[in-house]
Amino acid sequence: MKSTESAENEGLLIRRIKNGTVIDHIDRGEALNVVKILGITGTTQEALSIATNVQSGNMERKDIVKLTNRELSKEEVDRIALISPRATINIIRNYKVFEKKGVEIPTMIEGLVRCPNPGCISNTHEPIPSKFRVLKKGLHCAYCDWVITKDITSHII
């Protein structure tokens, strides 16, 4: 006879977590970028599970990231929204979903993305954080008018 826990996990690609965060509905192929954004290098304390290219009812395919014993900050969620605007954040406590929310794409982001323009004032030795307006076509630097349209992940600080 199977234990209750093993019966509940049957058919799951990744085992349930007791406490932590599940980032679901990540755009296909972006899970490793989400891990990079969160600064997880393998030397941190939380256990990490990643599922990529998973079949989904709402999306054709999706990625999923599970982190044990960690809840994300608003800044981390804003970073995820930049590369996966349909992602959902599930806070798990004692194996149950305590809170579920979608990410919200901010209209303005400050200090999260490095401007690729080396002449931008945010890249000089001045103590000025980068500032970008979030547009449908990309990120627009508030200082130098540079627009990032591709590979946003590589510019996230």
Side-chain angles (χ1 to χ4, degrees), residues 21 36 40 43 47 61 76 79 85 103 109 119 128 136 144 153:
T21 302
K36 178 182 172 187
I40 298 170
T43 60
R61 296 282 179 175
E76 290 171 323
R79 288 178 180 166
V103 297
I109 54 172
I128 297 173
K136 286 188 180 195
C144 72
T153 307

Side-chain angles (χ1 to χ4, degrees), residues 132-145:
F132 286 86
R133 285 187 285 287
V134 180
L135 309 171
K136 286 188 180 195
K137 63 179 181 176
L139 304 178
H140 180 260
C141 180
Y143 302 119
C144 72
D145 291 328

Side-chain angles (χ1 to χ4, degrees), residues 4 7-8 23 28 36 43-44 47 50 53-54 60 74 80 83 87 90-91 93-94 118 122 126-127 138 145 147 153:
T4 305
E8 288 175 348
I23 309 161
R28 180 170 67 178
K36 178 182 172 187
T43 60
T44 53
I50 300 172
N53 206 25
V54 176
E60 186 177 319
K74 171 144 178 43
I80 293 168
I83 64 164
N90 300 293
I91 305 302
R93 295 190 184 151
N94 201 26
S122 66
E126 299 295 327
D145 291 328
V147 178
T153 307

Side-chain angles (χ1 to χ4, degrees), residues 19-133:
N19 296 299
T21 302
V22 176
I23 309 161
D24 198 359
H25 302 102
I26 300 169
D27 291 345
R28 180 170 67 178
E30 294 292 343
L32 296 177
N33 287 329
V34 167
V35 171
K36 178 182 172 187
I37 285 169
L38 297 176
I40 298 170
T41 62
T43 60
T44 53
Q45 294 299 315
E46 62 274 311
L48 169 70
S49 299
I50 300 172
T52 60
N53 206 25
V54 176
Q55 219 168 358
S56 170
N58 299 345
M59 306 163 72
E60 186 177 319
R61 296 282 179 175
K62 68 179 180 179
D63 291 356
I64 303 167
V65 172
K66 292 185 178 186
L67 298 167
T68 61
N69 302 318
R70 180 170 170 186
E71 294 183 11
L72 303 182
S73 68
K74 171 144 178 43
E75 182 179 274
E76 290 171 323
V77 172
D78 287 349
R79 288 178 180 166
I80 293 168
L82 293 175
I83 64 164
S84 192
R86 297 182 290 180
T88 55
I89 309 296
N90 300 293
I91 305 302
I92 309 298
R93 295 190 184 151
N94 201 26
Y95 294 106
K96 298 198 183 313
V97 176
F98 176 78
E99 181 181 359
K100 182 175 186 168
K101 58 187 172 188
V103 297
E104 296 179 18
I105 300 171
T107 55
M108 183 72 77
I109 54 172
E110 189 170 324
L112 296 179
V113 176
R114 179 172 284 111
C115 184
N117 178 0
C120 181
I121 193 167
S122 66
N123 287 326
T124 62
H125 297 292
E126 299 295 327
I128 297 173
S130 65
K131 188 184 288 189
F132 286 86
R133 285 187 285 287

